[in-house]
Amino acid sequence: MSGFVYRDDSIGEGEFVLGRFAVQCCAADAIPYGIVVESPDAAKYANDKWMTVSGMLAKTTVDGVEVLMLQADDATEIEPSKDPYVYPDMDFGV
C-alpha cells in the first residue's frame, strides 16, 4: 500500500496511519481514510511523508472499535503521488 503518514492520539507509539483521500465526484467531497500500520521503526517516519508499506494484515482496536492493521514487514519512503486522491472503480467486477 502507498499513502501518507498520519498520527493522532488514538493510535499507539509504534504505529502510524497510512492514509489517502477518496473522491466520489470532486476534491470538495474528498474523505480521508487509511490503515493503522504497526512498525518498530514507526517513529522515524515523519507525518505527511509518503510511504509504500507491505506486511501482514491483522486486527487492532482504535477508540474501542476493531479495525484492520498492517504489521509492516517492509516500509520505503517514496515521492508524493502526483494525484493524492483515489477514485471508485465503477467497472469493478464487470
Side-chain angles (χ1 to χ4, degrees), residues 10 12-13 19 26 43 49 53-54 58-59 61 65 68 70 77 79 93:
S10 66
E13 199 162 303
C26 57
K49 287 290 184 184
V53 181
S54 61
K59 292 187 258 183
T61 302
V65 177
L68 277 175
L70 183 60
E77 197 171 311
E79 290 296 316

Side-chain angles (χ1 to χ4, degrees), residues 18-52:
L18 191 65
R20 296 293 293 258
F21 287 98
V23 173
Q24 278 295 105
C25 170
C26 57
D29 73 0
I31 299 171
Y33 75 97
I35 188 167
V36 176
V37 176
E38 180 184 67
S39 170
D41 297 326
K44 78 177 192 180
Y45 306 126
N47 281 343
D48 299 322
K49 287 290 184 184
W50 278 75
M51 308 286 301
T52 293

